[in-house]
Amino acid sequence: MVVNYKNLESTASNIRHGILKSVHAAGSGHPGGSLSAVEILTVLYFYKMNIDPQNPQKPDRDRFVLSKGHGAPVLYSTLAERGYFEKEKLVTLRKIGSMLQGHPDMKRVPGVEMSTGSLAQGFSASIGMALAGKLDKSSRRIYTLLGDGELQEGLIWEAAMSGAHYKLDNLTAVLDFNGLQIDGPNEKVMNINPVNEKWKSFGWHVIEIDGHSFKQIIQAFDEAETVKNRPTIIIAKTIKGKGVSYMENNPDWHGKAPDNEQAKEALLELGGEANV
Amino acid sequence: MSDKMATRQAYGEALIELGKEREDIIVLDADLSKSTMTVGFSKEFSDRFFNMGIAEQNLMGTAAGLAASGKTVFASSFAMFAAGRAFEIVRNAVCYPSLNVKICATHAGVTVGEDGASHQAIEDIALMRALPNMIIINPSDPVSAKKAIFKAAEYKGPVYVRLGRVKVPFIYKDDLEFEIGKGICLKEGNQAAVIATGIMVHEAVKAAEILEAENIRIRVIDMHTIKPVDEKIIIKAAKETGAVITAEEHNIMGGLGSAVAEVVVKHHPVKMKMIGIQDTFGESGKPDELMKKYNITSEDIVKAVKEIIK
């Protein structure tokens, strides 16, 4: 398939706008770890996955699980951009009565495949989804996005073990490796390195990429499809807060919303209108 | 038919029948299949059985993922680990999205016996009761256990079925009509009502027989479903007997006693007594020794009835 990188770039830019606008309107939320995953979700939803926004429950569709559920803004913005629901809804994020809960709720949002928010549970559920795919002899693939801090949860490693044990080659995990968590850099809070060797020793196929390079992301997903008898993890080096200069690599922007001035500045930086 | 059988044994048999009838039935276990009795299913339907190893959190998360993909999933371990260790996964990955997972937890209560307090779940009902969307069934005998499993499989959504290790007497015949949420009145009587669940139902029936010899007639209700609890049968019992005693192999806090008390207080307050574990951990010993030590026998029920009707 010929890749239109220009389209992917403008789509990613729109998704970033949606993240900024929704988190600003909510007055709280997680912009840093949403912005770091934009290119990954753009490739999945606009290039890779077999999905139909008009028929979110289409049988044998590919599944995406946002295991790092606090990244809800990037998922919502991507789903809206892809046409699962109106973009106008994004500003209802975290507001009473909204379908856009602080963390994704599969019962409320079309396109959300698993309710997540408590770390590692989405990854564990994606093991079950991959097993179901095998049972159904389906060609569907399961994708799941992990945070780096999330690797500190014991359940991640229970699930990793089972993914290799059951040879789930229909499962591709992506690690959004931005290096930062709430209390600071991973190495300071609780070192997760060596990440690559850990996953290899758990029996996973490991690919390391720049998580903001469309070319590398696409190549990695394509490679994962060719791997047999074991699951793949794509370790995507990313920048927390990517695209907004004052948020980049700053753990303070893990879980806080920009004020009016900051939101304007961010939207201007991203290009396009800055009406907040 | 032997005169006794463990409810977990009935569960294992029910699973095999279900497996034959329905392709969508998947069973998961966490290295305890020979104890939880999922082993029979694992042999007969090896492609639909997954051993998740000693990893109860991932057992529940994986069950949730399978259920989200349209499967009806039975996930088994000991009650201590299914409800205790995996609690938060059960809450967030199973109950919150209301997924079709049947948690069939065996070895509940102090009658686990010699393994001791670390393995004796006396708080699992309390934990599961506090979860929205969760149904809780605690069958009293092998027949009702088997029917409970079939009903759980029919029902769409999360169910917790509490099963025991020890062999228990048969209370019912195969023609039993079992409905989730509908208590069963086993004995009529108006001097007091004993509402029991699980292995305590048999103790309550024994107590009623002892009391009958002394001309005291009590009502005995098998409250197999603890959530949603059968309010109608409780209110009727409170109104007609004026004295309610609950009996469970569980901490008196948060279990059947609490569930019944919530209804009684709201609709028709009467005197109540609660037979159960009195907020203490168990210990190693034989099941019958432990039941005596923790005052959950038919004799304790007899005593409570006599006190309450004084």
Side-chain angles (χ1 to χ4, degrees):
Chain A
M1 198 201 287
V2 182
V3 185
N4 188 331
Y5 287 101
K6 269 232 147 58
N7 280 357
L8 289 177
E9 270 160 34
S10 71
T11 301
S13 175
N14 291 346
I15 292 171
R16 284 203 162 84
H17 269 259
I19 294 169
L20 259 299
K21 283 185 177 161
S22 60
V23 175
H24 170 256
S28 68
H30 297 84
S34 292
L35 291 165
S36 63
V38 170
E39 281 77 14
I40 296 160
L41 266 77
T42 303
V43 169
L44 282 173
Y45 280 89
F46 292 86
Y47 172 77
K48 195 79 231 175
M49 288 203 296
N50 169 25
I51 44 171
D52 179 4
Q54 304 312 311
N55 183 11
Q57 296 297 315
K58 180 174 88 156
D60 273 335
R61 68 195 180 278
D62 291 335
R63 262 77 159 179
F64 172 75
V65 175
L66 183 71
S67 193
K68 48 171 284 186
H70 56 281
V74 68
L75 177 57
Y76 297 154
S77 186
T78 303
L79 290 173
E81 187 69 26
R82 189 70 173 82
Y84 280 88
F85 55 86
E86 311 78 55
K87 285 193 195 181
E88 288 70 40
K89 284 222 166 85
L90 288 176
V91 293
T92 68
L93 173 67
R94 290 177 165 246
K95 293 202 159 71
I96 189 95
S98 171
M99 69 176 193
L100 302 181
Q101 296 292 295
H103 295 83
D105 179 349
M106 65 187 283
K107 293 282 169 190
R108 296 187 198 227
V109 190
V112 170
E113 298 285 1
M114 184 66 205
S115 300
T116 54
S118 180
L119 294 176
Q121 293 185 13
F123 183 47
S124 182
S126 70
I127 298 289
M129 291 180 185
L131 283 175
K134 293 279 179 193
L135 282 166
D136 294 343
K137 298 187 170 48
S138 161
S139 60
R140 68 177 174 260
R141 296 192 62 81
I142 316 300
Y143 296 95
T144 183
L145 186 72
L146 307 176
D148 45 17
E150 190 176 8
L151 299 193
Q152 291 156 2
E153 288 282 4
L155 175 53
I156 289 288
W157 304 103
E158 291 186 8
M161 215 184 294
S162 65
H165 181 83
Y166 285 111
K167 302 185 166 64
L168 300 178
D169 52 20
N170 53 350
L171 172 64
T172 303
V174 183
L175 177 66
D176 181 4
F177 198 0
N178 59 43
L180 295 172
Q181 54 192 110
I182 298 178
D183 277 349
N186 303 146
E187 306 95 76
K188 288 228 169 116
V189 179
M190 181 52 66
N191 190 19
I192 58 171
N193 287 311
V195 170
N196 185 318
E197 287 83 346
K198 276 195 178 80
W199 286 93
K200 265 192 191 141
S201 71
F202 270 73
W204 286 57
H205 179 66
V206 180
I207 306 171
E208 287 190 64
I209 60 162
D210 169 353
H212 299 302
S213 157
F214 283 119
K215 200 172 159 210
Q216 290 188 34
I217 297 169
I218 289 169
Q219 277 175 351
F221 281 130
D222 289 349
E223 180 182 327
E225 269 176 272
T226 67
V227 176
K228 294 285 164 238
N229 293 321
R230 56 191 166 142
T232 293
I233 182 161
I234 299 167
I235 298 176
K237 272 302 283 176
T238 57
I239 294 166
K240 196 154 186 161
K242 171 77 175 173
V244 179
S245 55
Y246 63 85
M247 288 188 182
E248 286 190 3
N249 284 321
N250 182 351
D252 289 348
W253 289 99
H254 172 89
K256 138 177 129 167
D259 61 24
N260 284 341
E261 281 312 303
Q262 289 165 328
K264 265 185 205 159
E265 190 188 331
L267 289 171
L268 279 173
E269 241 185 78
L270 291 169
E273 290 174 41
N275 54 328
V276 294
Chain B
M1 192 192 288
S2 68
D3 57 340
K4 277 186 167 190
M5 187 203 268
T7 50
R8 63 186 164 122
Q9 179 76 37
Y11 165 53
E13 290 177 6
L15 276 185
I16 293 172
E17 286 180 40
L18 275 170
K20 283 178 190 154
E21 283 166 22
R22 285 172 53 175
E23 276 289 319
D24 65 316
I25 302 281
I26 311 293
V27 178
L28 305 183
D29 206 300
D31 195 38
L32 288 169
S33 63
K34 288 175 194 137
S35 300
T36 62
M37 304 309 269
T38 61
V39 62
F41 184 97
S42 80
K43 284 185 179 149
E44 203 127 343
F45 310 98
S46 56
D47 53 330
R48 285 190 272 147
F49 174 86
F50 298 100
N51 201 327
M52 301 312 293
I54 309 166
E56 295 79 13
Q57 297 180 56
N58 192 42
L59 170 82
M60 294 305 171
T62 302
L66 279 157
S69 310
K71 307 297 179 191
T72 301
V73 189
F74 283 78
S76 276
S77 180
F78 288 177
M80 180 55 65
F81 313 122
R85 193 181 194 107
F87 173 77
E88 199 249 348
I89 325 293
V90 172
R91 181 198 188 273
N92 276 323
V94 175
C95 281
Y96 177 37
S98 199
L99 290 171
N100 206 14
V101 176
K102 319 301 166 187
I103 299 167
C104 294
T106 67
H107 296 63
V110 288
T111 52
V112 164
E114 291 83 348
D115 277 349
S118 63
H119 284 56
Q120 295 166 347
I122 53 161
E123 59 288 274
D124 54 320
I125 295 173
L127 287 166
M128 295 297 108
R129 265 192 80 216
L131 295 177
N133 296 336
M134 185 63 102
I135 303 284
I136 304 171
I137 310 176
N138 184 24
S140 60
D141 89 325
V143 173
S144 56
K146 214 167 181 177
K147 303 224 171 193
I149 297 301
F150 291 129
K151 290 287 178 186
E154 270 173 36
Y155 174 82
K156 279 251 181 238
V159 180
Y160 181 81
V161 185
R162 190 184 209 234
L163 302 162
R165 179 180 84 90
V166 293
K167 289 183 178 177
V168 292
F170 282 79
I171 295 173
Y172 300 107
K173 299 216 165 62
D174 286 336
D175 62 356
L176 166 71
E177 280 186 35
F178 185 98
E179 288 298 329
I180 292 175
K182 262 191 115 175
I184 301 166
C185 190
L186 284 170
K187 273 195 171 292
E188 292 292 349
N190 282 341
Q191 283 176 271
V194 176
I195 301 176
T197 192
I199 62 162
M200 295 306 291
V201 173
H202 177 66
E203 297 299 317
V205 172
K206 266 203 297 191
E209 283 160 6
I210 294 167
L211 289 162
E212 222 171 286
E214 302 178 31
N215 263 326
I216 300 171
R217 312 234 168 239
I218 62 164
R219 187 172 303 190
V220 174
I221 293 164
D222 176 357
M223 196 65 87
H224 51 73
T225 306
I226 295 170
K227 187 179 179 182
V229 79
D230 185 346
E231 296 203 358
K232 255 167 91 179
I233 206 169
I234 296 171
I235 296 165
K236 189 165 181 275
K239 282 185 178 160
E240 292 174 6
T241 70
V244 173
I245 293 160
T246 56
E248 61 195 309
E249 188 200 7
H250 184 275
N251 196 339
I252 52 158
M253 292 175 185
L256 174 73
S258 300
V260 171
E262 285 160 19
V263 177
V264 167
V265 164
K266 228 189 298 178
H267 298 279
H268 192 83
V270 294
K271 278 187 289 182
M272 274 192 73
K273 276 185 179 288
M274 293 174 195
I275 306 268
I277 310 297
Q278 303 292 318
D279 199 26
T280 179
F281 287 108
E283 65 182 74
S284 292
K286 293 200 173 72
D288 55 335
E289 292 170 340
L290 290 162
M291 288 178 73
K292 264 203 188 87
K293 171 148 188 178
Y294 293 100
N295 301 312
I296 52 169
T297 66
S298 54
E299 280 157 41
D300 299 297
I301 297 173
V302 167
K303 212 173 116 198
V305 169
K306 286 181 176 170
E307 279 170 16
I308 208 168
I309 62 173
K310 228 193 281 179

